[in-house]
Amino acid sequence: MASVSQVVKQAFQCGALGGGPLILPQLDKELSWIFLIREMTMLESKFIFLLPMFLMTIGEFAFANTEVKCSEGLYRVRSHPRRAYYKTDGTYVSATRVAGSCREKRKGHDFWNQKLKEGHPRDWTKKEKSIKWAEEERERVLEALSDLPEILWPKSLDGIYRMSKSKDYPNPASHGGAFVVLYDTAFEKKHRLARILAHELAHQNYEELSLTFNAAKAMLNKYKNRDQVKNSLGEPSGVLLKGKQELWNYDEPGTGYQRLTFTFDEMKKLEAVFWIPRSGEPESELEKVFSHYPESRFQTVRTQEVSPPHSLNTETIYSDEKSTAIWYNDYAKRVEGINWYLDDRRSPADSENKN
C-alpha cells in the first residue's frame, strides 16, 4: 500500500512532466482527504501551482469510482474525452475533456438509452467486428436521437449496436431486421449523426408500417410535405414526374408489391395519397369501400378501357365529389386503388394520379 506522500509525489511528478491524466493507486480506506491535502501542502513550493489540477483529478477519480445516485430526472455521465463535432442544427462543438456529472435527461432518454446495446445483433451475418460503446459515443447518440420527432421512434426496434468498420466502408450505418448498426465513420466530424440515425430509422418505420385502408387514409393528414414522408418512410421505391406534380411510389416491404403513391405539388406539399389493396383484403371489394362512407354518395365519373384497346376490360372511377375517388376493375370485379385528396374544391377524378 502506497503512503500518502508517495501518492501525492507521484501525482505531482506525472503532472510536472506532462505525463497526461493522473493515475492514483488504491488508497487505504481509512485515509482521509483532509490528511491527503495536508500532506500535499508540505511539498516543495514549486509544485503548488499544480494543486487545482490535482484536486480536479481527485474529484473525477472519486466520481468515477463511487456509486453515484442521481436525482429523479437526471442521469449519470462519466468523465470522458470528447472529439469535435457538429450538432444537428450546425452548431460547432469543440473537443474537450468532459467532467463526470449528473445531467438532466433529454427527450426520449429512457426509451433510447435501453436501445444502445453491446455485441452483435441477432441473426447478423456480416463479418464485422463489434466494439463497446464509448461514453462519448453514447452521449452523442442520445443527443442526436433527442432531436428526432416521436414519429421516428419505431416500436419494434430491437437495438442500436456499435461496430468498428462496415464491409461497405465508408458507410456510417446499416439497418437490418429490427436493428441499426453504427460504425466508426458515423462519429466523424463531417457527419450529422441525427441525419444518419433518421435515415436508418425510417427504414425500420416503413418495415413495421401498417398498410391497411385506415392507416393509408390517415397519412393524408399525418404528413404535410415531402420531407415528412421521407423522414418517416425513407426513400421512395420509385419517383415519377407528371407536369408540376411529383409522385412517389412505395412498395410493400418484403414483397415488392406497390402499395402507396404520394402526390406532391410544385411547392413539395402533399396533396394526395393513392392506396392499392391487395387481393383478398376487405377493401378490394367495392361495397366494402362504400361501407366506410355511409354519409357519402359516390357517382360514376368516368368509365375507360383498360389495355389492350377495344377489350371488354374496363375500369370505372367513382367519386364522392369531395375528397375520395375509387378505381374499380369491372372485368376482374376488384378495387384497384383508392385516391384521397386534401383539396376538396375539385373532384378527385379531375386529375389522373393513378400510375
Side-chain angles (χ1 to χ4, degrees), residues 60 63 68-83 85 87 93-107 109-110 113 134-144 146:
E60 291 190 8
F63 189 88
V68 176
K69 292 185 178 180
C70 297
S71 304
E72 186 177 354
L74 304 178
Y75 73 103
R76 182 182 182 183
V77 178
R78 298 179 183 274
S79 174
H80 63 272
R82 183 186 68 202
R83 292 167 286 181
Y85 71 99
K87 290 187 174 182
V93 180
S94 59
T96 188
R97 181 167 185 82
V98 178
S101 63
C102 288
R103 294 186 179 179
E104 184 177 353
K105 292 181 179 180
R106 303 180 182 91
K107 184 185 73 174
H109 175 90
D110 292 337
N113 190 48
E135 190 76 1
E136 173 207 15
E137 295 166 351
R138 293 183 68 91
E139 280 298 289
R140 288 274 311 278
V141 170
L142 290 173
E143 178 187 70
S146 71

Side-chain angles (χ1 to χ4, degrees), residues 90-275:
T91 302
Y92 177 74
V93 180
S94 59
T96 188
R97 181 167 185 82
V98 178
S101 63
C102 288
R103 294 186 179 179
E104 184 177 353
K105 292 181 179 180
R106 303 180 182 91
K107 184 185 73 174
H109 175 90
D110 292 337
F111 176 84
W112 291 115
N113 190 48
Q114 64 179 339
K115 300 294 185 182
L116 303 186
K117 298 185 178 181
E118 306 284 356
H120 286 85
R122 184 176 53 188
D123 300 327
W124 186 251
T125 58
K126 298 179 182 178
K127 294 182 178 180
E128 297 172 340
K129 181 182 177 182
S130 66
I131 59 177
K132 289 187 175 182
W133 285 95
E135 190 76 1
E136 173 207 15
E137 295 166 351
R138 293 183 68 91
E139 280 298 289
R140 288 274 311 278
V141 170
L142 290 173
E143 178 187 70
L145 289 170
S146 71
D147 290 331
L148 301 183
E150 291 189 30
I151 195 174
L152 285 181
W153 297 11
K155 298 177 181 179
S156 63
L157 182 70
D158 172 66
I160 302 176
Y161 294 80
R162 182 73 175 87
M163 297 194 189
S164 58
K165 184 178 179 179
S166 169
K167 73 177 187 65
D168 300 314
Y169 180 84
N171 265 12
S174 292
H175 168 266
F179 54 81
V180 170
V181 171
L182 292 178
Y183 303 104
D184 292 346
T185 48
F187 298 93
E188 293 178 354
K189 186 169 66 174
K190 63 182 179 180
H191 289 306
R192 300 288 196 277
L193 193 53
R195 294 179 184 175
I196 295 172
L197 288 164
H199 176 81
E200 299 303 329
L201 292 174
H203 289 300
Q204 181 63 29
N205 273 290
Y206 187 58
E207 288 194 2
E208 66 182 44
L209 179 67
S210 171
L211 294 178
T212 62
F213 170 88
N214 289 327
K217 181 182 177 182
M219 292 179 185
L220 191 62
N221 294 314
K222 184 177 182 180
Y223 307 124
K224 304 300 181 185
N225 52 50
R226 288 195 323 181
D227 287 342
Q228 289 185 2
V229 172
K230 189 174 182 179
N231 287 339
S232 181
L233 305 182
E235 296 287 346
S237 307
V239 176
L240 176 66
L241 298 179
K242 186 176 290 186
K244 294 183 179 180
Q245 294 177 323
E246 188 169 315
L247 281 63
W248 286 13
N249 296 328
Y250 282 87
D251 296 341
E252 187 174 62
T255 68
Y257 184 86
Q258 184 180 334
R259 292 282 264 164
L260 289 169
T261 297
F262 295 91
T263 301
F264 304 96
D265 62 18
E266 63 272 21
M267 303 299 292
K268 302 179 182 179
K269 293 182 179 180
L270 179 64
E271 65 176 20
V273 175
F274 185 82
W275 175 72

